Amino acid sequence: MEFWPWLTAALLLLLLVVQLSRSARFCAKITLYCAVCLWASTVAAVICLLRHHGRTVENMRIIRWFVSKFKYIFGLRFEIKGLQKLEVDHPCVIISNHQSILDMMGGCQALSPTPPAWCPWPPAGLMEALPERCVQIAKRELIFLGPVGLIMYLGGIFFINRQHSKTAMTVMADVGKRMVRENLKVWIYPEGTRNDNGDLLPFKKGAFYLAIQTQVPIIPVIYSSFSSFYNPKTKLFSSGTIKVEVLDAIPTSGLTVADVPKLMDTCYQAMRTTFLRISKTPQENGATAGPGCQPAQ
């Protein structure tokens, strides 16, 4: 009988700490975020197996339904401009910036000072704009993350070993063949990793090689900065609005591998200009940074 008063007192104390401490609120929200991800992965995987009996891009519809509900739990709103540009009936490469766990569902080490770099769930923001027959490319380690890895596999996501360039190139070549054969859209983050520094990182070349080798257009998608409502360094995690803008498709027909640097620079400059504009971040002296040269991923 004495258990319940102690439990009630502990819960009240926890609620008080969460209300008074910004760090406690941040940890509580991240913990809830991770718990919801794991629960949704498990339930979605069961539904995918029952409905489609295995791995297929059609399972992305089920995953999209689950992930699209996360915004209500965490008070996120999306304002999307140009969504119709993604509604094409042919293969293409979609590229976008990648900032935090708000656009990638996951983060097991929720109480660590900075959320981990791996990104198990398809992006929440991506799900707001995800067109039909669209899959991602992810690092191979994610497939071993229990129900999270299972739901990624069932959704048709391509896994690459980023530590072995020859293996990664083989997978990318297979991706190119399949996207043309199966009429797939492939969503890639050309920065190669999460980035919350208020600007874009230099792009890696993999997405641009893929687009040119398959002669499919590139469609840039830009998400505004999350810094006004999500910042792990300051333990900020509140409700907020994410602006998303889809740019016009950039054709690659007739281009060759020699055109990769110019294509990469064109996409980088267009995306960076849009990112700074919709994030209301002023460009210093009107200068823009170049993408630099990095190995293909």
Side-chain angles (χ1 to χ4, degrees):
M1 295 295 294
E2 296 180 356
F3 172 76
W4 294 109
W6 282 104
L7 178 61
T8 302
L11 289 174
L12 290 175
L13 179 60
L14 178 61
L15 289 174
L16 179 61
V17 171
V18 168
Q19 290 299 318
L20 295 178
S21 169
R22 183 168 177 167
S23 295
R25 286 198 301 272
F26 180 83
C27 290
K29 279 198 170 186
I30 293 294
T31 301
L32 175 62
Y33 195 87
C34 296
V36 172
C37 288
L38 292 173
W39 172 83
S41 296
T42 302
V43 176
V46 171
I47 295 175
C48 288
L49 288 170
L50 290 174
R51 182 159 186 179
H52 295 123
H53 311 293
R55 175 178 169 88
T56 170
V57 67
E58 299 301 329
N59 283 328
M60 289 304 298
R61 292 184 179 182
I62 297 171
I63 298 172
R64 179 173 56 189
W65 186 89
F66 275 91
V67 181
S68 66
K69 303 301 180 286
F70 282 41
K71 62 184 178 183
Y72 300 114
I73 300 175
F74 298 98
L76 301 177
R77 294 179 61 251
F78 290 88
E79 296 179 358
I80 306 178
K81 180 180 179 181
L83 184 60
Q84 71 282 357
K85 297 174 184 177
L86 293 175
E87 298 172 355
V88 295
D89 59 358
H90 54 74
C92 63
V93 172
I94 302 171
I95 58 175
S96 68
N97 56 317
H98 177 29
Q99 299 177 67
S100 75
I101 61 170
L102 292 190
D103 57 13
M104 291 295 284
M105 295 287 98
C108 285
Q109 301 168 5
L111 299 180
S112 62
T114 301
W118 54 267
C119 308
W121 263 77
L126 180 153
M127 292 300 161
E128 294 294 315
L130 190 74
E132 292 294 323
R133 302 194 62 75
C134 182
V135 296
Q136 288 179 276
I137 293 179
K139 59 183 181 181
R140 185 178 64 90
E141 293 87 343
L142 301 183
I143 199 172
F144 303 110
L145 296 177
V148 171
L150 175 60
I151 196 61
M152 294 179 72
Y153 172 81
L154 292 175
I157 288 177
F158 296 104
F159 297 93
I160 63 172
N161 188 341
R162 298 192 301 185
Q163 305 303 318
H164 297 84
S165 58
K166 290 185 178 180
T167 303
M169 290 174 64
T170 300
V171 173
M172 291 296 281
D174 180 60
V175 170
K177 294 176 182 177
R178 289 188 57 184
M179 68 185 296
V180 173
R181 183 174 67 247
E182 301 175 24
N183 190 24
L184 298 177
K185 303 172 183 69
V186 178
W187 195 299
I188 301 177
Y189 299 95
E191 292 173 285
T193 187
R194 286 200 314 231
N195 165 42
D196 61 356
N197 68 1
D199 205 338
L200 299 187
L201 293 176
F203 285 175
K204 298 182 182 297
K205 299 178 181 179
F208 308 96
Y209 275 116
L210 178 63
I212 287 178
Q213 289 171 355
T214 52
Q215 295 289 281
V216 301
I218 294 177
I219 304 179
V221 178
I222 303 91
Y223 295 87
S224 62
S225 173
F226 301 163
S227 60
S228 63
F229 56 87
Y230 178 81
N231 189 333
K233 296 177 183 177
T234 61
K235 299 298 184 289
L236 173 65
F237 191 172
S238 62
S239 59
T241 298
I242 299 172
K243 295 181 180 180
V244 186
E245 188 162 328
V246 184
L247 303 186
D248 292 335
I250 299 174
T252 64
S253 179
L255 298 184
T256 67
V257 171
D259 297 304
V260 165
K262 182 178 180 180
L263 176 64
M264 184 169 62
D265 183 67
T266 297
C267 293
Y268 181 91
Q269 299 298 346
M271 290 178 66
R272 183 174 186 267
T273 298
T274 303
F275 172 77
L276 296 175
R277 173 172 53 79
I278 65 178
S279 301
K280 297 182 179 179
T281 303
Q283 300 186 45
E284 296 182 2
N285 300 322
T288 55
C293 295
Q294 299 195 26
Q297 295 289 312

